[in-house]
Amino acid sequence: MFKIGILVSGGGSNLQAIIDRIEDGTLKDCQIVSVVSSNPEAYALERASKHGIPGLCIPRKGYADSKAYGEALAAHFDALQVDLIVLAGFLTILDAAFVEKYKGRMINVHPSLIPSFCGPGFYGLRPHIAALEYGVKVTGATVHYVDPEVDAGPIIAQKAVYVQEGDTPEVLQRRVMEEAEWKILPEAIGKISQAHIGG
Ligand code: GRF
């Protein structure tokens, strides 16, 4: 089994997309061994528990600095011997040592076509607000390996989504999730896990 640890902070719809693809057999040989939230209120934790997946909250404010926080996360994931960490709407910036430790074994999903509308501050609705303000006709989502720089790192998958007349940031966010994020994130995990298992 390819063991996956998932970091979340909010609704967890990307987590749900991964759970659904495992349960319907599309994502083979994969197991989510832990869902860790930085936020005790995250609905993502409820999604995990509904599917019998161990979930816990490790809040950033419980630690003196981001180095100590990264060490706590690493201790947790190392104990479970995870093969891959997935950032699925995780809002806390991770310490460079943690990122370095999991280099090539940690991926993120971002709701724009990187290098547009990404980097520090581009979370939640902001990439979509910026895309509408700029007036782009095409946006989308990106899955990439995590590097110490925010939203940088080698790109694994991207999918384009058309902006439509009259879109609000909320409407565009929903379309980007449905048409892009919820598809390319499980697909990327499938590719990585099959390469890992096969090689
Ligand atoms: C998604 O748009 C994701 O790309 C971004 O944060 C959002 C998380 O949504 N990194 P959810 O918690 O998966 O519903």
Side-chain angles (χ1 to χ4, degrees):
M1 273 290 171
F2 186 77
K3 293 184 188 169
I4 304 166
I6 304 194
L7 282 166
V8 295
S9 299
S13 68
N14 280 287
L15 164 68
Q16 188 68 53
I18 300 166
I19 294 172
D20 291 348
R21 295 293 80 75
I22 291 176
E23 290 187 350
D24 73 11
T26 315
L27 253 182
K28 294 184 192 5
D29 310 315
C30 288
Q31 184 187 5
I32 302 172
V33 293
S34 177
V35 171
V36 174
S37 175
S38 57
N39 162 19
E41 307 292 316
Y43 183 63
L45 286 174
E46 244 177 273
R47 294 185 192 265
S49 104
K50 278 186 188 156
H51 291 265
I53 299 166
L56 87 161
C57 175
I58 307 184
R60 167 66 181 83
K61 59 175 186 287
Y63 297 84
D65 51 27
S66 66
K67 186 169 177 288
Y69 187 58
E71 284 166 2
L73 293 178
H76 174 73
F77 288 125
D78 279 358
L80 293 168
Q81 296 186 300
V82 299
D83 297 301
L84 183 72
I85 294 177
V86 178
L87 308 186
F90 186 63
L91 294 178
T92 303
I93 300 290
L94 290 161
D95 166 61
F98 180 81
V99 173
E100 198 56 46
K101 180 177 166 73
Y102 288 99
K103 200 169 176 169
R105 293 190 290 147
M106 180 157 61
I107 65 173
N108 179 47
V109 60
H110 180 78
S112 76
L113 294 174
I114 289 175
S116 289
F117 315 123
C118 63
F122 281 100
Y123 60 87
L125 279 176
R126 295 190 191 185
H128 307 295
I129 292 169
L132 292 175
E133 275 174 7
Y134 197 97
V136 294
K137 302 299 179 204
V138 177
T139 182
T142 303
V143 178
H144 62 95
Y145 284 106
V146 178
D147 257 19
E149 205 183 318
V150 177
D151 294 332
I155 289 173
I156 302 162
Q158 287 189 306
K159 190 158 190 286
V161 173
Y162 284 111
V163 177
Q164 289 176 16
E165 200 68 30
D167 270 352
T168 61
E170 289 80 3
V171 167
L172 184 57
Q173 178 185 49
R174 178 78 194 180
R175 188 178 317 115
V176 168
M177 284 180 160
E178 282 177 358
E179 293 184 8
E181 294 184 58
W182 299 343
K183 293 185 173 155
I184 63 173
L185 184 58
E187 281 168 12
I189 294 170
K191 268 193 215 161
I192 296 166
S193 59
Q194 288 309 311
H196 181 92
I197 292 162

